[in-house]
Amino acid sequence: MQSFLSLLLVICLHSSAYNVFTHSFAFKSGKLRHKNAPDHFHPLKNQDSTLVKRYSILAAVSGGENPNKNPKEIELKSTMPQSIFNLVKNIMGAGMLSLPAGVAAFSNRKSAVFPSTFIIAFLGLLSAYTFSSLGKVCSETGAESYEQAWSGSVSPKTSFIPATACVATCFAGVLAYTLIIGDTFQSLALTFKLPAIVSSRTAMIGILSTFVLLPLSLLKNLSALGFTSMLGSGGLLYTAFMMGLRYMDGSYSPGGKFYSLISPNALPTFGTKPPNPILFLVLVSMLGTAYEAHFNAPLFYKELKNNTMKRFNLMVYVSFIISIITMSAVTAFGFLTFGGSSAGFILNNYHSADKLATLARIFVGFSIVFSYPLCFVGFRDGLMEMFGNKNQSEKLRKLWTVGLLGFVSTVSIFLKDLGFVNSFGGALIANGIIYVFPAVMFIASIKNKVRKEITKFTKNAKFEAFANYSI
């Protein structure tokens, strides 16, 4: 009965809001692009880490430049420090807040932090290698987008594969965002003692989806949301600091300030069950979501000043190493604080009376809210094009917006585990985008060069081809 009422609440709120929020959208040149979004969703402008993984995928897949763009803007290049800073922002997103649960999935022993750190580092370096491989493919094919890299190395006939992965990734993104929004604002409602009728998770999802996310998803100019970049990055760094502080001060350890206040299922649990090595794949899948930045590799390569492969590789590996260190710290702090009880969204473990955790929720919550439309529009526009509705009326686009947002909100009411969403999406989608697709493109690029007698199949080329086949 409660589930039925939850579903009815979301449907009614979205239906009533449909006639309130009216904004126009259109496609540009038949591409999956928002009418008044920035001409080029490139890594140097208004991009929060996780939203870049999701929404800028849209432009990265469709590719191409606006012919009316100012030539000076087209020639915009970024320095090495700028590129490193922006790629780190691109990599590190809210997905890393699920990683402690990935460790807890295969063991609740404190020693599990060591193999998990190794896995995070190994897959981070492997992700850096495949990111670099995409840059090499772009340097050889002249590609400026993920789709162009695929078309130039594999085949234009199968370019629908990365396009489909784009839509699936955007769906996983908006679903994960909605789960974070529901959990975060429910905790904030309890902290600020809001009335029970609006402080439940279901009510929060329904209210925020209808009166905040819907109008934001119908904005004409998404560039107005650019401020979320620094908000999101700063919020995640603060969250990592807070988690480290709470681990070191023992606030959630037996006898600690908040230990007696947290719910029984959130109490730290260590050493109560034997390790299950097979379940380390849960962490591997989550890391697929956490490291997912590869759709933007062609853009980073193109916009790096003096973009030789040596400079590009330096930028890539420095960025990924910084991300590896940060993710390892967040994972260790969260897991060593709560052990086997680590939630899929680690902030759920911290008590609502914890002021430092409350501030982290505010940072993360508002960053996700304002990042949501950048991801959602990518999901909606991509799905519309897949169903042949890319040139339909404004009214139809509004119907798609209301319908899809209502669908995602409804699913998020019943599906509450962010860790499951990130691991499932990582296993089925992100790992293909990060590891499989780049390897396929790199191998195809080598074969094309050999076939055209541009290069010989040297020992180095054989080794790299073997490495990519192994991936």
Side-chain angles (χ1 to χ4, degrees):
M1 184 63 179
Q2 184 179 3
S3 298
F4 173 75
L5 291 175
S6 302
L7 175 61
L8 187 62
L9 171 66
V10 174
I11 293 174
C12 290
L13 285 172
H14 281 289
S15 298
S16 61
Y18 171 68
N19 293 319
V20 178
F21 306 113
T22 54
H23 298 271
S24 64
F25 289 86
F27 285 88
K28 191 178 222 178
S29 304
K31 297 176 182 177
L32 301 177
R33 294 176 59 170
H34 188 279
K35 179 180 179 182
N36 291 309
D39 288 320
H40 190 189
F41 298 106
H42 64 71
L44 307 182
K45 295 182 181 178
N46 61 314
Q47 295 188 355
D48 182 13
S49 50
T50 305
L51 69 89
V52 164
K53 297 171 188 289
R54 308 296 183 186
Y55 186 55
S56 65
I57 288 171
L58 199 57
V61 170
S62 60
E65 291 285 357
N66 179 2
N68 297 319
K69 180 179 282 189
N70 188 314
K72 292 182 179 180
E73 186 176 354
I74 293 177
E75 294 301 322
L76 178 66
K77 298 288 184 178
S78 59
T79 63
M80 179 67 72
Q82 287 175 327
S83 293
I84 291 173
F85 176 76
N86 285 289
L87 183 52
V88 170
K89 285 197 303 176
N90 196 167
I91 298 166
M92 293 196 309
M96 70 180 181
L97 299 179
S98 297
L99 297 181
V103 182
F106 71 88
S107 177
N108 65 0
R109 295 181 180 178
K110 290 186 177 182
S111 58
V113 75
F114 296 109
S116 66
T117 301
F118 173 78
I119 294 170
I120 292 170
F122 175 76
L123 291 180
L125 292 174
L126 183 60
S127 299
Y129 173 76
T130 55
F131 196 99
S132 171
S133 297
L134 286 170
K136 192 168 185 179
V137 171
C138 291
S139 72
E140 294 172 353
T141 62
E144 297 182 357
S145 72
Y146 202 92
E147 183 186 23
Q148 289 178 10
W150 181 279
S151 298
S153 59
V154 183
S155 171
K157 296 179 180 179
T158 56
S159 61
F160 68 90
I161 295 176
T164 303
C166 162
V167 175
T169 301
C170 289
F171 170 70
V174 294
L175 182 57
Y177 278 11
T178 310
L179 294 180
I180 294 174
I181 288 169
D183 291 345
T184 300
F185 284 93
Q186 180 191 25
S187 297
L188 291 175
L190 294 174
T191 299
F192 295 106
K193 296 181 171 57
L194 296 184
I197 192 171
V198 296
S199 61
S200 70
R201 182 176 180 276
T202 297
M204 277 294 166
I205 290 175
I207 292 170
L208 290 172
S209 294
T210 303
F211 298 108
V212 180
L213 300 181
L214 180 58
L216 285 175
S217 298
L218 293 172
L219 280 176
K220 291 183 177 181
N221 191 350
L222 294 180
S223 64
L225 302 178
F227 71 93
T228 62
S229 177
M230 293 307 299
L231 178 64
S233 301
L236 288 172
L237 289 176
Y238 169 79
T239 300
F241 169 78
M242 181 277 297
M243 292 172 65
L245 183 62
R246 286 300 182 229
Y247 163 66
M248 290 184 284
D249 69 14
S251 294
Y252 291 88
S253 301
K257 182 178 180 180
F258 298 107
Y259 182 82
S260 61
L261 299 179
I262 56 179
S263 60
N265 62 346
L267 289 173
T269 306
F270 294 100
T272 59
K273 64 179 182 180
N276 188 339
I278 298 298
L279 292 180
F280 89 92
L281 292 174
V282 174
L283 177 61
V284 171
S285 298
M286 288 180 174
L287 286 168
T289 300
Y291 285 126
E292 187 182 13
H294 292 56
F295 264 115
N296 285 315
L299 304 182
F300 275 97
Y301 174 77
K302 175 191 172 186
E303 291 166 1
L304 176 65
K305 186 181 294 184
N306 186 22
N307 58 346
T308 63
M309 281 307 302
K310 183 177 180 180
R311 282 175 53 79
F312 182 73
N313 287 338
L314 176 63
M315 182 270 293
V316 169
Y317 281 98
V318 169
S319 302
F320 271 88
I321 288 171
I322 293 172
S323 303
I324 288 168
I325 293 171
T326 306
M327 290 187 190
S328 297
V330 167
T331 303
F333 292 146
F335 177 75
L336 292 176
T337 303
F338 298 103
S341 299
S342 299
F345 180 52
I346 193 62
L347 288 181
N348 287 345
N349 283 94
Y350 295 87
H351 195 265
S352 58
D354 187 342
K355 293 181 180 179
L356 295 182
T358 295
L359 186 56
R361 290 188 179 101
I362 291 173
F363 274 127
V364 173
F366 280 93
S367 172
I368 294 297
V369 163
F370 290 108
S371 300
Y372 183 97
L374 298 168
C375 181
F376 175 81
V377 173
F379 169 53
R380 183 204 64 195
D381 291 0
L383 203 60
M384 286 181 67
E385 179 153 325
M386 285 179 64
F387 282 91
N389 292 321
K390 65 179 181 179
N391 295 317
Q392 296 299 325
S393 65
E394 176 185 338
K395 181 178 181 180
L396 184 59
R397 286 192 292 274
K398 292 177 184 176
L399 287 172
W400 273 87
T401 300
V402 174
L404 289 176
L405 203 150
F407 169 73
V408 172
S409 300
T410 302
V411 171
S412 67
I413 288 173
F414 299 98
L415 184 62
K416 301 179 180 180
D417 190 349
L418 176 66
F420 170 78
V421 172
N422 282 338
S423 60
F424 188 79
L428 293 185
I429 307 168
N431 285 332
I433 294 169
I434 293 175
Y435 307 121
V436 180
F437 293 173
V440 170
M441 284 188 267
F442 188 80
I443 293 169
S445 177
I446 291 178
K447 288 182 176 179
N448 290 339
K449 288 175 64 178
V450 172
R451 188 181 301 115
K452 296 176 182 178
E453 298 183 351
I454 297 175
T455 186
K456 294 182 179 180
F457 206 49
T458 62
K459 288 184 178 180
N460 184 54
K462 290 179 180 179
F463 175 78
E464 289 203 81
F466 174 76
N468 281 273
Y469 272 119
S470 300
I471 293 172

